């Protein structure tokens, strides 16, 4: 109902691309924009609704969050309990690195991993237990004093563990860091922090738990879902908080290939808005929103 009108509105706004989603049964589907035609329907329900799509969107879809892709789209890596598994273009396992997590690639193709609270450049292959392949980018010692110096109410942070890394440039990295708090024994908190070299760019976001960090195609915008305070947080590459919880039930975000539009998945519809207007959600002049009557447990835009 209303499909023709919605297609006309999307076309007039210049909305284009393919919206990949998983529905209520975790079936993977792909919706063309602005035509609103289903290009893909996996048909079978799945156990895992989280997914990632290869950069070229043509041949590889891997279910489960926390997957990083090399800039050329030929290699992917994911973190398991205490190791990183690296796969080739056709899905074959290339190698496994024990004792690391948070795989990521710089735009220049440099591969990085985290060992606890230390971020390193990693050059395989290495024998297990050897550190000759490592070059330290950020050490635990770099993180500790930097994170304690901010004005967050949790200034007694310690024992940082890097859970996720996304390189925004060859020198700037966004990290999800899990920490302990001396003032609250037994408590752990997540931070989203952006570093330029070893310098903290802006005050980090703090939450009891952050879900997977998402980044736009140009790496200018990031979004992350928090548990308490609950909702989606939108920040830019400088760590500036742009909006928090623009849609009360929003849980995942994705950007159009040109970054002009942002899609947010909620408990019902999927909503689109102009990315440049995200800051207006925190004012009385809320931006214009285009609702698409599609339920998405997770989504990506290509």
């Amino acid at each position: 109902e209303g499909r023709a009108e919605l297609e006309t509105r999307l076309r007039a706004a210049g909305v284009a691309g393919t919206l990949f989603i998983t529905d209520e049964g975790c079936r993977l589907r792909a919706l063309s924009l602005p035509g609103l035609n289903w290009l893909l329907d996996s048909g079978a329900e799945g156990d895992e609704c989280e997914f990632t799509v290869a950069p070229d969107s043509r041949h590889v879809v891997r279910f489960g969050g926390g997957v990083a892709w090399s800039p050329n789209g030929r290699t992917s890596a994911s973190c398991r309990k205490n190791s990183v598994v690296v796969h080739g273009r056709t899905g074959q396992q290339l190698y496994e690195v024990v004792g690391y997590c948070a795989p990521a690639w710089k735009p220049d193709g440099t591969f990085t991993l985290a060992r606890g609270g230390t971020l390193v450049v990693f050059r395989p292959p290495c024998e297990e237990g050897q550190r000759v392949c490592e070059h330290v980018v950020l050490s635990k010692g770099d993180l500790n004093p930097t994170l304690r110096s901010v004005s967050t109410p949790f200034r007694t942070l310690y024992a940082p563990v890097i859970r996720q890394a996304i390189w925004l440039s060859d020198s700037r990295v966004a990290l999800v860091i899990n920490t302990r708090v001396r003032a609250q024994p037994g408590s752990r908190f997540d931070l989203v922090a952006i570093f330029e070299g070893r310098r903290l760019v802006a005050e980090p976001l703090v939450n009891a738990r952050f879900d997977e960090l998402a980044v736009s195609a140009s790496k200018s915008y990031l979004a992350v879902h928090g548990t308490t305070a609950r909702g989606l947080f939108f920040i830019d590459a400088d760590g500036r908080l742009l909006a928090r919880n623009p849609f009360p039930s929003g849980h995942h975000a994705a950007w159009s290939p040109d970054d002009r539009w942002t899609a947010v998945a909620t408990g019902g519809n999927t909503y689109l808005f102009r990315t440049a207007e995200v800051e207006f959600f925190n004012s009385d002049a809320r931006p214009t929103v285009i609702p698409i009557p599609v339920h998405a447990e997770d989504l990506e835009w290509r």
Side-chain angles (χ1 to χ4, degrees):
E1 184 177 352
R3 175 174 171 170
E5 291 80 4
L6 178 57
E7 180 183 351
T8 299
R9 187 178 181 187
L10 293 171
R11 196 175 300 278
V15 176
T18 302
L19 198 63
F20 292 86
I21 68 164
T22 41
D23 64 13
E24 298 96 323
C26 297
R27 294 184 305 165
L28 180 66
R29 309 186 75 184
L31 182 68
S32 69
L33 300 175
L36 299 174
N37 298 308
W38 291 110
L39 305 177
L40 169 69
D41 191 336
S42 62
E45 295 187 358
D47 297 327
E48 176 60 70
C49 288
E50 302 283 329
F51 70 96
T52 56
V53 179
D56 62 12
S57 74
R58 293 181 302 176
H59 59 283
V60 179
V61 176
R62 304 180 64 85
F63 280 82
V67 177
W69 292 93
S70 62
N72 61 15
R74 296 178 179 175
T75 311
S76 64
S78 56
C79 180
R80 295 180 179 175
K81 287 186 178 180
N82 189 41
S83 67
V84 169
V85 180
V86 181
H87 290 87
R89 186 168 190 166
T90 59
Q92 79 279 18
Q93 181 173 323
L94 300 180
Y95 57 91
E96 182 175 4
V97 189
V98 178
Y100 295 83
C101 196
W105 275 271
K106 293 185 178 184
D108 67 4
T110 301
F111 187 43
T112 65
L113 298 173
R115 175 169 42 83
T118 301
L119 185 68
V120 302
V121 170
F122 189 84
R123 297 180 177 89
C126 270
E127 296 294 331
E128 185 173 346
Q130 290 186 344
R131 301 300 182 198
V132 293
C133 289
E134 289 187 1
H135 169 71
V136 175
V137 178
L138 280 170
S139 69
K140 183 178 178 180
D142 294 324
L143 296 185
N144 277 327
T146 304
L147 297 178
R148 292 176 189 169
S149 67
V150 298
S151 60
T152 169
F154 306 106
R155 296 188 64 178
T156 56
L157 302 173
Y158 75 106
V161 174
I162 299 172
R163 289 181 44 224
Q164 186 184 1
I166 294 178
W167 286 94
L168 308 178
S169 72
D170 289 335
S171 59
R172 182 164 297 199
V173 63
L175 303 175
V176 178
I177 305 170
N178 184 253
T179 64
R180 296 181 181 180
V181 185
R182 294 189 190 280
Q184 300 181 20
S187 296
R188 303 191 72 95
F189 287 85
D190 278 351
L191 296 92
V192 174
I194 298 178
F195 286 85
E196 177 73 29
R198 297 185 175 182
R199 177 179 64 87
L200 186 66
V201 172
E203 183 161 334
L205 302 178
V206 182
N207 209 306
R209 176 75 178 183
F210 280 122
D211 297 329
E212 186 179 349
L213 191 64
V215 64
S216 69
S218 70
K219 303 187 185 299
S220 300
Y221 301 96
L222 299 107
V224 65
H225 183 264
T227 57
T228 55
R230 191 169 180 82
L232 277 171
F233 294 73
F234 288 88
I235 62 176
D236 62 16
D238 293 323
R240 185 167 60 102
L241 180 63
L242 302 176
R244 187 179 76 82
N245 202 27
F247 300 93
S249 58
H251 51 80
H252 284 82
W255 291 265
S256 60
D258 59 7
D259 271 14
R260 292 179 56 232
W261 291 88
T262 304
V264 172
T266 71
N269 295 333
T270 298
Y271 293 94
L272 309 185
F273 63 88
R274 294 185 186 276
T275 304
E277 298 178 351
V278 62
E279 295 177 85
F280 295 125
F281 279 107
N282 291 334
S283 69
D284 294 331
R286 290 178 63 85
T288 301
V289 173
I290 302 177
I292 298 180
V294 171
H295 177 93
E297 291 292 330
D298 193 5
L299 78 168
E300 290 203 20
W301 198 338
R302 291 288 187 269

